[in-house]
């Protein structure tokens, strides 16, 4: 009886030891097969792929699963390429609250970009208007200079004539218009001969 009991106990010990070994081996296998916790761990596993194509595919899968990257001092950082900016996050992926803050920052980024574009357009428009005004001023100065260089035509002086006076050499010799002035002077002389001008009486002495 004692031999049977001893044998039973030995069998139980062997079975227990075997169960322990199997359980420990299974636990180790589960640890190696567990999913990576972040990008860096996932990338380390991808580097062990057999072929280059499998490695590339595994790294792409890591990028799709994990948006954050480890920081040297702990925690993770998220890079938003739309804003060209990084954000600190607690885990390997942004939480809903962290994602909300990132989206709000992107909205502000778009607003700043729009204001910058409008300011740049206004500045360009102002510069274009100034250039057009300067071009007009230069053109006006050039036109004024050209006008000043062209001599203004001077009007010929008109020959002034006395009303009723005939120009010299206009009458025909022997015509009445040419002989009348001479005849008129002769008649005046005859009148003076026949009608002498009476002399003034001498003033009486006081």
């Amino acid at each position: 009886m004692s031999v049977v009991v001893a044998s039973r106990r030995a069998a139980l010990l062997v079975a227990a030891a075997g169960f322990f070994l199997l359980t420990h081996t299974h636990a180790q296998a589960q640890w190696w097969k567990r999913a990576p916790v972040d990008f860096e761990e996932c990338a380390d596993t991808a580097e062990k792929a057999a072929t280059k194509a499998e490695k590339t595919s595994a790294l792409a899968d890591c990028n799709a699963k994990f948006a954050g990257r480890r920081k040297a001092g702990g925690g993770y950082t998220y890079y938003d390429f739309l804003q060209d900016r990084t954000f600190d996050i607690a885990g390997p992926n942004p939480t809903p609250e962290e994602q909300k803050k990132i989206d709000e920052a992107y909205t502000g980024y778009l607003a700043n970009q729009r204001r910058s574009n409008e300011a740049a357009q206004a500045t360009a428009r102002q510069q274009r208007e100034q250039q057009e005004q300067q071009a007009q001023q230069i053109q006006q100065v050039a036109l004024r200079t050209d006008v000043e260089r062209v001599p203004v035509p001077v009007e010929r002086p008109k020959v002034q004539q006395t009303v009723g006076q005939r120009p010299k050499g206009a009458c025909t010799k022997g015509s009445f218009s040419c002989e009348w002035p001479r005849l008129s002077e002769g008649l005046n002389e005859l009148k003076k001969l026949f009608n002498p001008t009476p002399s003034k009486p001498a003033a009486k002495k006081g």
Side-chain angles (χ1 to χ4, degrees):
M1 179 66 77
S2 60
V3 175
V4 174
V5 173
S7 298
R8 182 183 177 85
R9 287 178 178 176
L12 289 174
L13 288 173
V14 171
F19 178 77
F20 175 77
L21 291 173
L22 289 173
T23 304
H24 182 68
T25 303
H26 182 71
Q28 286 182 336
Q30 288 294 324
W31 181 83
W32 284 110
K33 291 181 181 180
R34 70 181 177 84
V37 296
D38 57 15
F39 174 81
E40 285 72 18
E41 188 173 309
C42 182
D44 290 341
T45 303
E47 288 293 333
K48 298 174 183 178
T51 64
K52 184 176 181 180
E54 291 177 355
K55 184 187 297 186
T56 303
S57 177
L59 286 174
D61 188 51
C62 293
N63 276 316
K65 288 180 179 179
F66 303 105
R69 300 292 184 269
R70 286 182 192 173
K71 292 174 61 178
Y76 294 85
T77 182
Y78 169 79
Y79 173 72
D80 187 359
F81 69 94
L82 293 175
Q83 306 180 55
D84 190 20
R85 176 185 173 188
T86 57
F87 297 86
D88 290 337
I89 55 178
N93 285 306
T95 64
E97 185 65 25
E98 290 171 341
Q99 188 63 51
K100 181 180 179 182
K101 291 181 179 179
I102 293 171
D103 294 340
E104 290 175 350
Y106 181 63
T107 301
Y109 170 80
L110 291 178
N112 290 333
Q113 287 291 103
R114 184 174 60 255
R115 284 193 293 269
S116 298
N117 292 336
E118 290 175 353
Q121 291 176 0
T123 301
R125 183 169 55 253
Q126 184 178 4
Q127 291 178 350
R128 185 169 59 253
E129 290 176 353
Q130 290 178 351
Q131 291 176 354
E132 291 176 354
Q133 291 177 357
Q134 291 177 355
Q136 291 178 356
Q137 291 175 356
I138 293 173
Q139 185 177 8
Q140 290 176 356
V141 171
L143 290 174
R144 186 164 57 248
T145 304
D146 292 341
V147 170
E148 291 175 354
R149 289 176 180 174
V150 176
V152 179
V154 180
E155 186 179 1
R156 290 184 178 182
K158 296 181 179 180
V159 179
Q160 295 182 354
Q161 298 179 357
T162 306
V163 177
Q165 181 180 357
R166 290 180 175 272
K168 293 181 179 180
C171 63
T172 304
K173 187 176 180 180
S175 63
F176 178 77
S177 59
C178 287
E179 296 295 333
W180 172 249
R182 186 173 59 81
L183 294 174
S184 177
E185 290 177 1
L187 290 174
N188 290 332
E189 291 295 331
L190 291 174
K191 288 180 180 180
K192 289 179 182 180
L193 292 175
F194 291 103
N195 297 313
T197 302
S199 61
K200 293 181 181 180
K204 294 181 180 181
K205 293 182 181 181

